[in-house]
Amino acid sequence: MDHKKHNMHKFSQNSSKDEHHHEELVEDEEIRDWKKKLIGSWMFALPVALIMIGDRLFEISVVPKKFMIPLILILGFPVIFIFGLNTLKSGLNGFRTLYFNMDSLIALGTIVAYLTGFFSYFGFGEDYSGVSSMIMVIFITGKFIEVKARGRASKEIMKLLELGARKARILREKREIEIPAEEVKVGDIIVIKPGEKIPTDGIVIRGDSSVDESMISGESLPVDKTRGSNVIGATINQDGILYVKATKIGKDTFLAHIINLVEEAQGEKIPIQKLADRITNVFVPSILILSVLSFVLWWYFLGDAGRSLGIAISTLVIACPCALGLAVPTALMVGSGMGSKHGVLIRKGEAIQTMREIKTIIFDKTGTITKGEPEVTDIYSKVKESYLLEVSASLEKLSEHPIAKAIVKKASLKKYPAVRNFKVLRGKGVEGNIRGKKVLIGNRTLMKEQKIDINEIEFVVKKFENSGKTVMIVSETGKVIGAMAVADSIKEDSADAIRQLNTDGYRTIMITGDNERTAEFIAKQVGIKEIIANVLPKDKVKKVEEIQEKGMVVFVGDGINDAPALKQANVGIAMGSGTDIAIESGDLVLVKNSLMGVVQAINLSKATFKKIKQNLFWAFAYNIIAIPVAVAGLLNPIIAEIAMALSSISVVTNANLLRRVKI
């Protein structure tokens, strides 16, 4: 995966733990910065609020009247012009560029309200300067909650960052030396003892053990590792010593990829958010015009500039679109965090919106529905089954063919009998001598060439073949002693996932380059009624385009040949065990490599989008109801500020309720 174009500045070529700590410090620093602003602004704004509310609502004078306005102005100055300085700059910049955002209203509302204190002090109009402090302090509170929400949504990333090993034990000139994990280089031989974390991604060159990969797969059972096995950084070695050759470091590791994928999703804008931004850009100048008109008209009819200004300020304050600005990002960030917790990584935020409109889900077969590697599924033996497996595995152990590996794996022998005169018969099978007996393992063609009669097991061979499986016939000294069926096995939960999707009304289709007989057998096992077989990689895109004519399509795949189809589909879902280019092409990535992730992704997108709609509804509904009340002169600026604050807080709280949803 080419992560340069993803701006992976957080992961340098040789970085690991130090960079991860740096990343954590950056996020903590942002939270601390807003926390300081929050505490500082409330220290000054709280006395203002007590003075203002006591005097205006309950007619209780906390301080003498002649000192009230100067005190409010003095206390309000640091809130607005120190703690809120960046907001003022951003808001006023909108008037220069004519591209308005919520900061524009907040900046104008606070400055105008603050200036009323000076006007009132010199006998012109009413004093609303206290409201300015409250506008800014509530905005700062909302920003702090947003940063905290983002931090909590990123909690799973932080946990992953903490999982990385701090130290690595490597071999240098036949000596073991311990170095910081970030100093490991590609090609270094790392020694990992029982109970230790694996420092970085690599391949086992010596030793065997089991490794706890639950942080990646979610599975509690450890995975056996032998020579040639791939291992992932931050997973934990269990019971044996492993010698691992480092193949990926820093930004190229699986852990770094996961972190980057989640971060990308949290920074995305989905279509509905872009719409909200466009509405805000029109909404802000409209409110400014409405406020000015309110002031002019009320002044014209009442002749009271102070009262008119109060109405105009109420309109500005009540319209501050804090809730609108928080509605989408908070829900999306919480949804993204939930997804990462369940192994569903959202690479592109727009997938959240698109997913809910999906009608059809197309599945690649190999590596998606199936495990992507052959397994011995059936055995027919005319001798003791353990003997059949022993001679077969002993012979096949000398072959590198995937079917040979499947037979060796099935036998799981601790000791193999010696094989003499081993020979690979290309396209047909293998032969060799075991204990003085000639053993052949292969297909019909090999048996026919060697003039070995298979009539007595023909019914078994046909049964296996009709199931779309590859059949290996075993003979010893010219006589058939058994047969084994080898096939790409279905993942344990593929059938459950597809059954659930069918029940929920989705159209499920399987697409594969395999022949129709094999495709039908797999499809029948998992409950897919539609298949597209004998498809070349370049034709997958055309098939997706054809199906898209009838509605939105999800494509689920894992291979390089799936990348174009993943891009073409409305939503591409890549399996986490797939190739880098497939993962790069997907909108979502299923880390656990399970099709139940598709079900979870759909449920997550529906739940997240529901929260986004709820947030936007309440943000807009609040403005639609409150603005006319403010324009009519029925809303005190203080009450307007409290209502605006509650609106923002309710949006953030509602977004965080998403965590309770079960996906």
Side-chain angles (χ1 to χ4, degrees), residues 394-404 419-433 438-443 446 449-450 472:
S394 298
L395 202 58
E396 296 287 18
K397 192 174 187 297
L398 302 174
S399 170
E400 291 297 317
H401 196 280
I403 290 177
V419 176
R420 297 183 182 277
N421 303 322
F422 174 78
K423 189 186 291 183
V424 174
L425 307 167
R426 297 288 176 197
K428 291 173 280 189
V430 293
E431 70 174 19
N433 291 322
K438 185 179 180 180
V439 178
L440 286 167
I441 305 174
N443 54 25
L446 178 61
E449 282 182 1
Q450 297 291 325
M472 303 304 290

PDB file of all heavy atoms in Angstrom, residues 394-404 419-433 438-443 446 449-450 472:
ATOM      1  N   SER A 394       3.804 -38.170   3.869  1.00  0.00           N
ATOM      2  CA  SER A 394       5.254 -38.375   3.762  1.00  0.00           C
ATOM      3  C   SER A 394       5.734 -38.047   2.359  1.00  0.00           C
ATOM      4  O   SER A 394       6.804 -37.456   2.168  1.00  0.00           O
ATOM      5  CB  SER A 394       5.607 -39.821   4.112  1.00  0.00           C
ATOM      6  OG  SER A 394       5.247 -40.097   5.446  1.00  0.00           O
ATOM      7  N   LEU A 395       4.943 -38.429   1.373  1.00  0.00           N
ATOM      8  CA  LEU A 395       5.286 -38.164  -0.022  1.00  0.00           C
ATOM      9  C   LEU A 395       5.085 -36.677  -0.364  1.00  0.00           C
ATOM     10  O   LEU A 395       5.952 -36.028  -0.941  1.00  0.00           O
ATOM     11  CB  LEU A 395       4.425 -39.048  -0.931  1.00  0.00           C
ATOM     12  CG  LEU A 395       4.948 -39.333  -2.343  1.00  0.00           C
ATOM     13  CD1 LEU A 395       6.317 -39.996  -2.296  1.00  0.00           C
ATOM     14  CD2 LEU A 395       3.951 -40.222  -3.086  1.00  0.00           C
ATOM     15  N   GLU A 396       3.924 -36.149   0.045  1.00  0.00           N
ATOM     16  CA  GLU A 396       3.577 -34.773  -0.310  1.00  0.00           C
ATOM     17  C   GLU A 396       4.422 -33.739   0.441  1.00  0.00           C
ATOM     18  O   GLU A 396       4.522 -32.589   0.020  1.00  0.00           O
ATOM     19  CB  GLU A 396       2.088 -34.507  -0.028  1.00  0.00           C
ATOM     20  CG  GLU A 396       1.121 -35.325  -0.871  1.00  0.00           C
ATOM     21  CD  GLU A 396       1.045 -34.855  -2.319  1.00  0.00           C
ATOM     22  OE1 GLU A 396       1.945 -34.143  -2.788  1.00  0.00           O
ATOM     23  OE2 GLU A 396       0.056 -35.224  -2.997  1.00  0.00           O
ATOM     24  N   LYS A 397       5.036 -34.151   1.539  1.00  0.00           N
ATOM     25  CA  LYS A 397       5.872 -33.221   2.305  1.00  0.00           C
ATOM     26  C   LYS A 397       7.048 -32.700   1.469  1.00  0.00           C
ATOM     27  O   LYS A 397       7.583 -31.617   1.718  1.00  0.00           O
ATOM     28  CB  LYS A 397       6.397 -33.906   3.563  1.00  0.00           C
ATOM     29  CG  LYS A 397       7.033 -32.937   4.563  1.00  0.00           C
ATOM     30  CD  LYS A 397       7.388 -33.663   5.846  1.00  0.00           C
ATOM     31  CE  LYS A 397       7.857 -32.664   6.905  1.00  0.00           C
ATOM     32  NZ  LYS A 397       9.072 -31.956   6.554  1.00  0.00           N
ATOM     33  N   LEU A 398       7.423 -33.453   0.465  1.00  0.00           N
ATOM     34  CA  LEU A 398       8.546 -33.072  -0.382  1.00  0.00           C
ATOM     35  C   LEU A 398       8.121 -32.173  -1.545  1.00  0.00           C
ATOM     36  O   LEU A 398       8.940 -31.738  -2.340  1.00  0.00           O
ATOM     37  CB  LEU A 398       9.232 -34.338  -0.927  1.00  0.00           C
ATOM     38  CG  LEU A 398       9.741 -35.310   0.159  1.00  0.00           C
ATOM     39  CD1 LEU A 398      10.258 -36.583  -0.481  1.00  0.00           C
ATOM     40  CD2 LEU A 398      10.813 -34.655   1.005  1.00  0.00           C
ATOM     41  N   SER A 399       6.822 -31.922  -1.648  1.00  0.00           N
ATOM     42  CA  SER A 399       6.290 -31.083  -2.730  1.00  0.00           C
ATOM     43  C   SER A 399       5.912 -29.703  -2.194  1.00  0.00           C
ATOM     44  O   SER A 399       5.539 -29.555  -1.034  1.00  0.00           O
ATOM     45  CB  SER A 399       5.057 -31.743  -3.351  1.00  0.00           C
ATOM     46  OG  SER A 399       4.404 -30.847  -4.240  1.00  0.00           O
ATOM     47  N   GLU A 400       5.992 -28.692  -3.054  1.00  0.00           N
ATOM     48  CA  GLU A 400       5.630 -27.323  -2.678  1.00  0.00           C
ATOM     49  C   GLU A 400       4.224 -26.952  -3.147  1.00  0.00           C
ATOM     50  O   GLU A 400       3.772 -25.825  -2.941  1.00  0.00           O
ATOM     51  CB  GLU A 400       6.638 -26.327  -3.285  1.00  0.00           C
ATOM     52  CG  GLU A 400       8.026 -26.396  -2.670  1.00  0.00           C
ATOM     53  CD  GLU A 400       8.027 -26.029  -1.201  1.00  0.00           C
ATOM     54  OE1 GLU A 400       7.349 -25.050  -0.829  1.00  0.00           O
ATOM     55  OE2 GLU A 400       8.689 -26.732  -0.412  1.00  0.00           O
ATOM     56  N   HIS A 401       3.529 -27.882  -3.768  1.00  0.00           N
ATOM     57  CA  HIS A 401       2.192 -27.590  -4.302  1.00  0.00           C
ATOM     58  C   HIS A 401       1.194 -27.325  -3.168  1.00  0.00           C
ATOM     59  O   HIS A 401       1.250 -27.986  -2.128  1.00  0.00           O
ATOM     60  CB  HIS A 401       1.714 -28.776  -5.159  1.00  0.00           C
ATOM     61  CG  HIS A 401       0.561 -28.437  -6.046  1.00  0.00           C
ATOM     62  ND1 HIS A 401      -0.731 -28.385  -5.584  1.00  0.00           N
ATOM     63  CD2 HIS A 401       0.507 -28.115  -7.363  1.00  0.00           C
ATOM     64  CE1 HIS A 401      -1.538 -28.065  -6.578  1.00  0.00           C
ATOM     65  NE2 HIS A 401      -0.803 -27.887  -7.672  1.00  0.00           N
ATOM     66  N   PRO A 402       0.276 -26.355  -3.349  1.00  0.00           N
ATOM     67  CA  PRO A 402      -0.710 -26.057  -2.298  1.00  0.00           C
ATOM     68  C   PRO A 402      -1.538 -27.275  -1.870  1.00  0.00           C
ATOM     69  O   PRO A 402      -1.861 -27.411  -0.694  1.00  0.00           O
ATOM     70  CB  PRO A 402      -1.611 -24.998  -2.956  1.00  0.00           C
ATOM     71  CG  PRO A 402      -0.736 -24.335  -3.965  1.00  0.00           C
ATOM     72  CD  PRO A 402       0.166 -25.405  -4.477  1.00  0.00           C
ATOM     73  N   ILE A 403      -1.872 -28.150  -2.826  1.00  0.00           N
ATOM     74  CA  ILE A 403      -2.638 -29.352  -2.468  1.00  0.00           C
ATOM     75  C   ILE A 403      -1.791 -30.271  -1.591  1.00  0.00           C
ATOM     76  O   ILE A 403      -2.279 -30.866  -0.622  1.00  0.00           O
ATOM     77  CB  ILE A 403      -3.120 -30.084  -3.739  1.00  0.00           C
ATOM     78  CG1 ILE A 403      -4.207 -29.253  -4.439  1.00  0.00           C
ATOM     79  CG2 ILE A 403      -3.645 -31.478  -3.395  1.00  0.00           C
ATOM     80  CD1 ILE A 403      -4.696 -29.834  -5.738  1.00  0.00           C
ATOM     81  N   ALA A 404      -0.493 -30.372  -1.913  1.00  0.00           N
ATOM     82  CA  ALA A 404       0.409 -31.181  -1.099  1.00  0.00           C
ATOM     83  C   ALA A 404       0.455 -30.648   0.327  1.00  0.00           C
ATOM     84  O   ALA A 404       0.409 -31.418   1.305  1.00  0.00           O
ATOM     85  CB  ALA A 404       1.809 -31.166  -1.710  1.00  0.00           C
ATOM     86  N   VAL A 419      11.362 -41.312   2.400  1.00  0.00           N
ATOM     87  CA  VAL A 419      10.885 -41.457   1.015  1.00  0.00           C
ATOM     88  C   VAL A 419      12.105 -41.527   0.093  1.00  0.00           C
ATOM     89  O   VAL A 419      13.026 -40.720   0.202  1.00  0.00           O
ATOM     90  CB  VAL A 419       9.978 -40.272   0.608  1.00  0.00           C
ATOM     91  CG1 VAL A 419       9.571 -40.399  -0.861  1.00  0.00           C
ATOM     92  CG2 VAL A 419       8.751 -40.183   1.510  1.00  0.00           C
ATOM     93  N   ARG A 420      12.100 -42.498  -0.812  1.00  0.00           N
ATOM     94  CA  ARG A 420      13.188 -42.628  -1.793  1.00  0.00           C
ATOM     95  C   ARG A 420      12.624 -42.453  -3.203  1.00  0.00           C
ATOM     96  O   ARG A 420      11.443 -42.690  -3.441  1.00  0.00           O
ATOM     97  CB  ARG A 420      13.855 -44.000  -1.666  1.00  0.00           C
ATOM     98  CG  ARG A 420      14.529 -44.226  -0.313  1.00  0.00           C
ATOM     99  CD  ARG A 420      15.226 -45.582  -0.273  1.00  0.00           C
ATOM    100  NE  ARG A 420      15.829 -45.821   1.035  1.00  0.00           N
ATOM    101  CZ  ARG A 420      17.009 -45.369   1.426  1.00  0.00           C
ATOM    102  NH1 ARG A 420      17.726 -44.626   0.588  1.00  0.00           N
ATOM    103  NH2 ARG A 420      17.482 -45.635   2.627  1.00  0.00           N
ATOM    104  N   ASN A 421      13.497 -42.026  -4.096  1.00  0.00           N
ATOM    105  CA  ASN A 421      13.131 -41.877  -5.517  1.00  0.00           C
ATOM    106  C   ASN A 421      11.908 -40.968  -5.719  1.00  0.00           C
ATOM    107  O   ASN A 421      11.033 -41.252  -6.547  1.00  0.00           O
ATOM    108  CB  ASN A 421      12.870 -43.254  -6.149  1.00  0.00           C
ATOM    109  CG  ASN A 421      14.066 -44.172  -6.025  1.00  0.00           C
ATOM    110  OD1 ASN A 421      15.216 -43.741  -6.148  1.00  0.00           O
ATOM    111  ND2 ASN A 421      13.809 -45.445  -5.752  1.00  0.00           N
ATOM    112  N   PHE A 422      11.847 -39.890  -4.950  1.00  0.00           N
ATOM    113  CA  PHE A 422      10.711 -38.963  -5.073  1.00  0.00           C
ATOM    114  C   PHE A 422      10.770 -38.239  -6.420  1.00  0.00           C
ATOM    115  O   PHE A 422      11.824 -37.818  -6.871  1.00  0.00           O
ATOM    116  CB  PHE A 422      10.739 -37.928  -3.942  1.00  0.00           C
ATOM    117  CG  PHE A 422       9.689 -36.857  -4.075  1.00  0.00           C
ATOM    118  CD1 PHE A 422       8.367 -37.119  -3.739  1.00  0.00           C
ATOM    119  CD2 PHE A 422      10.008 -35.589  -4.561  1.00  0.00           C
ATOM    120  CE1 PHE A 422       7.399 -36.135  -3.865  1.00  0.00           C
ATOM    121  CE2 PHE A 422       9.053 -34.604  -4.693  1.00  0.00           C
ATOM    122  CZ  PHE A 422       7.734 -34.879  -4.345  1.00  0.00           C
ATOM    123  N   LYS A 423       9.595 -38.102  -7.014  1.00  0.00           N
ATOM    124  CA  LYS A 423       9.532 -37.429  -8.314  1.00  0.00           C
ATOM    125  C   LYS A 423       8.197 -36.679  -8.440  1.00  0.00           C
ATOM    126  O   LYS A 423       7.144 -37.221  -8.101  1.00  0.00           O
ATOM    127  CB  LYS A 423       9.649 -38.445  -9.434  1.00  0.00           C
ATOM    128  CG  LYS A 423       9.815 -37.805 -10.825  1.00  0.00           C
ATOM    129  CD  LYS A 423       9.782 -38.855 -11.935  1.00  0.00           C
ATOM    130  CE  LYS A 423      11.026 -39.742 -11.887  1.00  0.00           C
ATOM    131  NZ  LYS A 423      11.026 -40.718 -13.029  1.00  0.00           N
ATOM    132  N   VAL A 424       8.293 -35.453  -8.932  1.00  0.00           N
ATOM    133  CA  VAL A 424       7.081 -34.676  -9.221  1.00  0.00           C
ATOM    134  C   VAL A 424       6.689 -34.916 -10.662  1.00  0.00           C
ATOM    135  O   VAL A 424       7.509 -34.772 -11.570  1.00  0.00           O
ATOM    136  CB  VAL A 424       7.307 -33.157  -8.992  1.00  0.00           C
ATOM    137  CG1 VAL A 424       6.083 -32.361  -9.440  1.00  0.00           C
ATOM    138  CG2 VAL A 424       7.626 -32.874  -7.537  1.00  0.00           C
ATOM    139  N   LEU A 425       5.442 -35.303 -10.875  1.00  0.00           N
ATOM    140  CA  LEU A 425       4.916 -35.539 -12.222  1.00  0.00           C
ATOM    141  C   LEU A 425       4.008 -34.357 -12.565  1.00  0.00           C
ATOM    142  O   LEU A 425       2.851 -34.305 -12.153  1.00  0.00           O
ATOM    143  CB  LEU A 425       4.146 -36.868 -12.262  1.00  0.00           C
ATOM    144  CG  LEU A 425       4.960 -38.075 -11.730  1.00  0.00           C
ATOM    145  CD1 LEU A 425       4.055 -39.276 -11.505  1.00  0.00           C
ATOM    146  CD2 LEU A 425       6.081 -38.427 -12.697  1.00  0.00           C
ATOM    147  N   ARG A 426       4.564 -33.372 -13.261  1.00  0.00           N
ATOM    148  CA  ARG A 426       3.894 -32.102 -13.511  1.00  0.00           C
ATOM    149  C   ARG A 426       2.475 -32.277 -14.028  1.00  0.00           C
ATOM    150  O   ARG A 426       2.234 -32.984 -14.996  1.00  0.00           O
ATOM    151  CB  ARG A 426       4.683 -31.273 -14.523  1.00  0.00           C
ATOM    152  CG  ARG A 426       6.076 -30.877 -14.056  1.00  0.00           C
ATOM    153  CD  ARG A 426       6.018 -29.828 -12.977  1.00  0.00           C
ATOM    154  NE  ARG A 426       7.344 -29.512 -12.458  1.00  0.00           N
ATOM    155  CZ  ARG A 426       7.563 -28.896 -11.318  1.00  0.00           C
ATOM    156  NH1 ARG A 426       6.553 -28.544 -10.569  1.00  0.00           N
ATOM    157  NH2 ARG A 426       8.787 -28.638 -10.924  1.00  0.00           N
ATOM    158  N   GLY A 427       1.520 -31.612 -13.346  1.00  0.00           N
ATOM    159  CA  GLY A 427       0.130 -31.633 -13.779  1.00  0.00           C
ATOM    160  C   GLY A 427      -0.603 -32.921 -13.482  1.00  0.00           C
ATOM    161  O   GLY A 427      -1.787 -33.043 -13.807  1.00  0.00           O
ATOM    162  N   LYS A 428       0.090 -33.885 -12.876  1.00  0.00           N
ATOM    163  CA  LYS A 428      -0.567 -35.185 -12.620  1.00  0.00           C
ATOM    164  C   LYS A 428      -0.481 -35.629 -11.161  1.00  0.00           C
ATOM    165  O   LYS A 428      -1.446 -36.141 -10.606  1.00  0.00           O
ATOM    166  CB  LYS A 428       0.041 -36.264 -13.526  1.00  0.00           C
ATOM    167  CG  LYS A 428      -0.294 -36.074 -15.005  1.00  0.00           C
ATOM    168  CD  LYS A 428       0.438 -37.039 -15.902  1.00  0.00           C
ATOM    169  CE  LYS A 428       1.860 -36.594 -16.152  1.00  0.00           C
ATOM    170  NZ  LYS A 428       2.540 -37.396 -17.192  1.00  0.00           N
ATOM    171  N   GLY A 429       0.698 -35.435 -10.512  1.00  0.00           N
ATOM    172  CA  GLY A 429       0.832 -35.870  -9.132  1.00  0.00           C
ATOM    173  C   GLY A 429       2.278 -36.093  -8.755  1.00  0.00           C
ATOM    174  O   GLY A 429       3.188 -35.461  -9.306  1.00  0.00           O
ATOM    175  N   VAL A 430       2.501 -36.997  -7.784  1.00  0.00           N
ATOM    176  CA  VAL A 430       3.860 -37.315  -7.309  1.00  0.00           C
ATOM    177  C   VAL A 430       4.000 -38.824  -7.118  1.00  0.00           C
ATOM    178  O   VAL A 430       3.011 -39.553  -7.003  1.00  0.00           O
ATOM    179  CB  VAL A 430       4.163 -36.597  -5.968  1.00  0.00           C
ATOM    180  CG1 VAL A 430       4.232 -35.093  -6.143  1.00  0.00           C
ATOM    181  CG2 VAL A 430       3.133 -36.964  -4.897  1.00  0.00           C
ATOM    182  N   GLU A 431       5.267 -39.291  -7.103  1.00  0.00           N
ATOM    183  CA  GLU A 431       5.525 -40.703  -6.834  1.00  0.00           C
ATOM    184  C   GLU A 431       6.796 -40.841  -5.997  1.00  0.00           C
ATOM    185  O   GLU A 431       7.614 -39.927  -5.918  1.00  0.00           O
ATOM    186  CB  GLU A 431       5.670 -41.485  -8.137  1.00  0.00           C
ATOM    187  CG  GLU A 431       6.938 -41.166  -8.925  1.00  0.00           C
ATOM    188  CD  GLU A 431       7.121 -42.060 -10.137  1.00  0.00           C
ATOM    189  OE1 GLU A 431       6.145 -42.665 -10.592  1.00  0.00           O
ATOM    190  OE2 GLU A 431       8.272 -42.134 -10.619  1.00  0.00           O
ATOM    191  N   GLY A 432       6.913 -41.990  -5.323  1.00  0.00           N
ATOM    192  CA  GLY A 432       8.097 -42.267  -4.517  1.00  0.00           C
ATOM    193  C   GLY A 432       7.981 -43.628  -3.857  1.00  0.00           C
ATOM    194  O   GLY A 432       6.920 -44.278  -3.901  1.00  0.00           O
ATOM    195  N   ASN A 433       9.071 -44.059  -3.238  1.00  0.00           N
ATOM    196  CA  ASN A 433       9.091 -45.349  -2.551  1.00  0.00           C
ATOM    197  C   ASN A 433       9.123 -45.137  -1.036  1.00  0.00           C
ATOM    198  O   ASN A 433       9.962 -44.404  -0.526  1.00  0.00           O
ATOM    199  CB  ASN A 433      10.306 -46.177  -2.971  1.00  0.00           C
ATOM    200  CG  ASN A 433      10.193 -46.631  -4.417  1.00  0.00           C
ATOM    201  OD1 ASN A 433       9.108 -46.966  -4.889  1.00  0.00           O
ATOM    202  ND2 ASN A 433      11.320 -46.636  -5.127  1.00  0.00           N
ATOM    203  N   LYS A 438       6.118 -48.795  -3.871  1.00  0.00           N
ATOM    204  CA  LYS A 438       5.921 -47.642  -4.745  1.00  0.00           C
ATOM    205  C   LYS A 438       4.547 -47.018  -4.469  1.00  0.00           C
ATOM    206  O   LYS A 438       3.523 -47.697  -4.550  1.00  0.00           O
ATOM    207  CB  LYS A 438       6.026 -48.053  -6.212  1.00  0.00           C
ATOM    208  CG  LYS A 438       5.944 -46.861  -7.172  1.00  0.00           C
ATOM    209  CD  LYS A 438       6.064 -47.295  -8.626  1.00  0.00           C
ATOM    210  CE  LYS A 438       5.975 -46.111  -9.573  1.00  0.00           C
ATOM    211  NZ  LYS A 438       6.077 -46.502 -10.981  1.00  0.00           N
ATOM    212  N   VAL A 439       4.577 -45.714  -4.146  1.00  0.00           N
ATOM    213  CA  VAL A 439       3.332 -44.988  -3.843  1.00  0.00           C
ATOM    214  C   VAL A 439       3.125 -43.898  -4.888  1.00  0.00           C
ATOM    215  O   VAL A 439       4.048 -43.162  -5.229  1.00  0.00           O
ATOM    216  CB  VAL A 439       3.382 -44.356  -2.430  1.00  0.00           C
ATOM    217  CG1 VAL A 439       2.101 -43.573  -2.156  1.00  0.00           C
ATOM    218  CG2 VAL A 439       3.590 -45.424  -1.371  1.00  0.00           C
ATOM    219  N   LEU A 440       1.888 -43.834  -5.385  1.00  0.00           N
ATOM    220  CA  LEU A 440       1.490 -42.794  -6.344  1.00  0.00           C
ATOM    221  C   LEU A 440       0.334 -41.991  -5.760  1.00  0.00           C
ATOM    222  O   LEU A 440      -0.603 -42.570  -5.194  1.00  0.00           O
ATOM    223  CB  LEU A 440       1.034 -43.416  -7.663  1.00  0.00           C
ATOM    224  CG  LEU A 440       2.085 -43.999  -8.611  1.00  0.00           C
ATOM    225  CD1 LEU A 440       1.392 -44.829  -9.677  1.00  0.00           C
ATOM    226  CD2 LEU A 440       2.871 -42.875  -9.265  1.00  0.00           C
ATOM    227  N   ILE A 441       0.410 -40.662  -5.905  1.00  0.00           N
ATOM    228  CA  ILE A 441      -0.717 -39.799  -5.514  1.00  0.00           C
ATOM    229  C   ILE A 441      -0.961 -38.841  -6.671  1.00  0.00           C
ATOM    230  O   ILE A 441      -0.046 -38.116  -7.088  1.00  0.00           O
ATOM    231  CB  ILE A 441      -0.411 -38.981  -4.238  1.00  0.00           C
ATOM    232  CG1 ILE A 441      -0.007 -39.900  -3.095  1.00  0.00           C
ATOM    233  CG2 ILE A 441      -1.621 -38.144  -3.836  1.00  0.00           C
ATOM    234  CD1 ILE A 441       0.445 -39.164  -1.862  1.00  0.00           C
ATOM    235  N   GLY A 442      -2.184 -38.861  -7.199  1.00  0.00           N
ATOM    236  CA  GLY A 442      -2.451 -37.961  -8.323  1.00  0.00           C
ATOM    237  C   GLY A 442      -3.863 -38.086  -8.868  1.00  0.00           C
ATOM    238  O   GLY A 442      -4.748 -38.678  -8.249  1.00  0.00           O
ATOM    239  N   ASN A 443      -4.052 -37.537 -10.062  1.00  0.00           N
ATOM    240  CA  ASN A 443      -5.375 -37.492 -10.666  1.00  0.00           C
ATOM    241  C   ASN A 443      -5.649 -38.708 -11.549  1.00  0.00           C
ATOM    242  O   ASN A 443      -4.832 -39.630 -11.644  1.00  0.00           O
ATOM    243  CB  ASN A 443      -5.542 -36.194 -11.468  1.00  0.00           C
ATOM    244  CG  ASN A 443      -4.420 -35.998 -12.483  1.00  0.00           C
ATOM    245  OD1 ASN A 443      -3.792 -36.963 -12.930  1.00  0.00           O
ATOM    246  ND2 ASN A 443      -4.167 -34.744 -12.856  1.00  0.00           N
ATOM    247  N   LEU A 446      -2.946 -39.642 -14.178  1.00  0.00           N
ATOM    248  CA  LEU A 446      -1.785 -40.371 -13.664  1.00  0.00           C
ATOM    249  C   LEU A 446      -2.117 -41.853 -13.481  1.00  0.00           C
ATOM    250  O   LEU A 446      -1.314 -42.733 -13.867  1.00  0.00           O
ATOM    251  CB  LEU A 446      -1.325 -39.759 -12.331  1.00  0.00           C
ATOM    252  CG  LEU A 446      -0.139 -40.451 -11.653  1.00  0.00           C
ATOM    253  CD1 LEU A 446       1.099 -40.410 -12.546  1.00  0.00           C
ATOM    254  CD2 LEU A 446       0.160 -39.816 -10.297  1.00  0.00           C
ATOM    255  N   GLU A 449      -2.276 -43.551 -16.893  1.00  0.00           N
ATOM    256  CA  GLU A 449      -0.936 -43.742 -17.464  1.00  0.00           C
ATOM    257  C   GLU A 449      -0.209 -44.916 -16.808  1.00  0.00           C
ATOM    258  O   GLU A 449       0.523 -45.662 -17.466  1.00  0.00           O
ATOM    259  CB  GLU A 449      -0.097 -42.463 -17.286  1.00  0.00           C
ATOM    260  CG  GLU A 449      -0.421 -41.359 -18.267  1.00  0.00           C
ATOM    261  CD  GLU A 449       0.484 -40.155 -18.063  1.00  0.00           C
ATOM    262  OE1 GLU A 449       1.364 -40.206 -17.168  1.00  0.00           O
ATOM    263  OE2 GLU A 449       0.313 -39.155 -18.796  1.00  0.00           O
ATOM    264  N   GLN A 450      -0.407 -45.058 -15.512  1.00  0.00           N
ATOM    265  CA  GLN A 450       0.271 -46.129 -14.772  1.00  0.00           C
ATOM    266  C   GLN A 450      -0.526 -47.442 -14.786  1.00  0.00           C
ATOM    267  O   GLN A 450      -0.145 -48.404 -14.119  1.00  0.00           O
ATOM    268  CB  GLN A 450       0.489 -45.681 -13.317  1.00  0.00           C
ATOM    269  CG  GLN A 450       1.395 -44.462 -13.172  1.00  0.00           C
ATOM    270  CD  GLN A 450       2.835 -44.746 -13.523  1.00  0.00           C
ATOM    271  OE1 GLN A 450       3.343 -45.837 -13.275  1.00  0.00           O
ATOM    272  NE2 GLN A 450       3.503 -43.777 -14.149  1.00  0.00           N
ATOM    273  N   MET A 472      -7.585 -36.446  -5.276  1.00  0.00           N
ATOM    274  CA  MET A 472      -6.262 -37.062  -5.334  1.00  0.00           C
ATOM    275  C   MET A 472      -6.411 -38.542  -4.988  1.00  0.00           C
ATOM    276  O   MET A 472      -6.843 -38.890  -3.875  1.00  0.00           O
ATOM    277  CB  MET A 472      -5.300 -36.382  -4.349  1.00  0.00           C
ATOM    278  CG  MET A 472      -5.151 -34.876  -4.561  1.00  0.00           C
ATOM    279  SD  MET A 472      -4.631 -34.434  -6.232  1.00  0.00           S
ATOM    280  CE  MET A 472      -2.942 -35.040  -6.216  1.00  0.00           C
TER     281      MET A 472
END
